[in-house]
Amino acid sequence: MKSRKLSQADTAKKLLREARVASLGTLMPNGMPYVSLVNIATAHDGAPLLLISTLAVHTQNVLADNRISLMVDERGHGNPLANGRLSLTGTLVATTDAEDIRRYQARQPDARVYASIHDFSYYRMVVDGGHVVGGFGRIFDVKPEEVLTNVADAQKFVKAEEDFIAHLNEDHADTCRLYATKLLGAKDGEWKCVGCDPDGLDLQLGRTGLRLVFPRKVRTPGALRKVLKELADQARAV
């Protein structure tokens, strides 16, 4: 199975799904911009998730005016301006959705500690647009539907995600390692699956996230198993 060339939408989604930290832009009461650093994760559909303290300046800004911008980047070596980055605009709203919280905690190991402190709350970004710089000469805008993943037609897939991840990590840890090292060129280590959605698989080692983009969209658990077997065969053949 040949890997396909990433589209502009794939590139934007990959940047967002791999990110574990982002620059958050909010508006001060006097209208001046304020930028801070936050840990992030993504919901099933790719919407950015944050866990922030009410005591923080950025949270106070959001409570007064929830318009924000968020920038993620590849965090690669060398000249940072030669690496890809994605800037999003939209609004930030509080979330108590159990799946949003579970997915955030899977990607951010310290989240449970912070969440136990009463002034921390989870937030979800409502994306209204984005801008990608994929390195020198690769610049384009993206619409919300190009950054996010439509999961309306994949509800069985979504509901099976948690059990599937546990099965993959417990019974097929070597396969996760192959995906990371052979298909994505990562360093060797105990790579774990922390999420999957119709467009791809999220892998993590420590605080490093990687995105394995599927060759085609998958909407059911059966289709997922088939695609992952094909990718495993491809990894073993490398």
Side-chain angles (χ1 to χ4, degrees):
M1 179 178 60
K2 294 182 179 180
S3 58
R4 63 182 174 86
K5 183 178 180 181
L6 296 187
S7 66
Q8 290 186 349
D10 290 330
T11 299
K13 290 178 181 178
K14 188 173 188 295
L15 284 166
L16 182 56
R17 298 278 191 174
E18 289 186 341
R20 297 295 180 266
V21 65
S23 297
L24 171 66
T26 57
L27 293 171
M28 298 285 286
N30 62 5
M32 294 298 289
Y34 178 84
V35 179
S36 54
L37 203 63
V38 293
N39 289 331
I40 70 164
T42 49
H44 280 293
D45 65 356
L49 302 171
L50 284 69
L51 176 62
I52 51 179
S53 168
T54 305
L55 300 177
V57 172
H58 51 231
T59 309
Q60 290 296 313
N61 291 343
V62 167
L63 293 175
D65 186 338
N66 70 344
R67 291 176 296 171
I68 67 164
S69 63
L70 197 72
M71 190 190 81
V72 299
D73 65 85
E74 287 182 315
R75 302 271 157 170
H77 299 291
N79 184 354
L81 296 182
N83 299 323
R85 57 257 193 209
L86 165 68
S87 296
L88 298 173
T89 56
T91 54
L92 203 61
V93 297
T95 178
T96 57
D97 183 84
E99 282 300 289
D100 285 350
I101 294 171
R102 180 185 66 79
R103 287 177 63 88
Y104 186 94
Q105 292 180 348
R107 290 156 180 76
Q108 299 292 346
D110 299 330
R112 287 181 176 84
V113 176
Y114 289 113
S116 66
I117 303 173
H118 73 276
D119 67 303
F120 275 82
S121 299
Y122 290 95
Y123 288 81
R124 179 186 179 108
M125 183 178 184
V126 180
V127 177
D128 66 19
H131 183 74
V132 175
V133 178
F136 293 119
R138 295 180 59 224
I139 302 173
F140 52 90
D141 292 328
V142 285
K143 299 176 181 178
E145 58 267 26
E146 293 177 297
V147 178
L148 304 178
T149 299
N150 185 356
V151 295
D153 59 351
Q155 288 306 299
K156 288 184 178 179
F157 182 104
V158 170
K159 291 177 181 178
E161 183 203 25
E162 186 174 9
D163 289 340
F164 170 78
I165 292 171
H167 170 69
L168 191 60
N169 287 329
E170 291 170 9
D171 299 335
H172 302 282
D174 57 331
T175 304
C176 290
R177 197 169 185 167
L178 283 174
Y179 291 151
T181 58
K182 300 300 183 182
L183 298 184
L184 299 174
K187 68 176 183 180
D188 195 14
E190 295 182 5
W191 289 90
K192 301 290 185 182
C193 175
V194 294
C196 60
D197 57 83
D199 290 326
L201 192 75
D202 294 328
L203 302 170
Q204 187 158 323
L205 176 64
R207 291 188 54 81
T208 300
L210 285 179
R211 177 72 166 175
L212 179 62
V213 179
F214 292 151
R216 56 187 179 276
K217 187 171 183 177
V218 295
R219 297 175 176 83
T220 65
L224 174 63
R225 287 190 290 270
K226 184 176 180 180
V227 164
L228 289 180
K229 183 182 183 305
E230 293 173 1
L231 290 168
D233 291 342
Q234 180 181 343
R236 293 187 182 98
V238 171

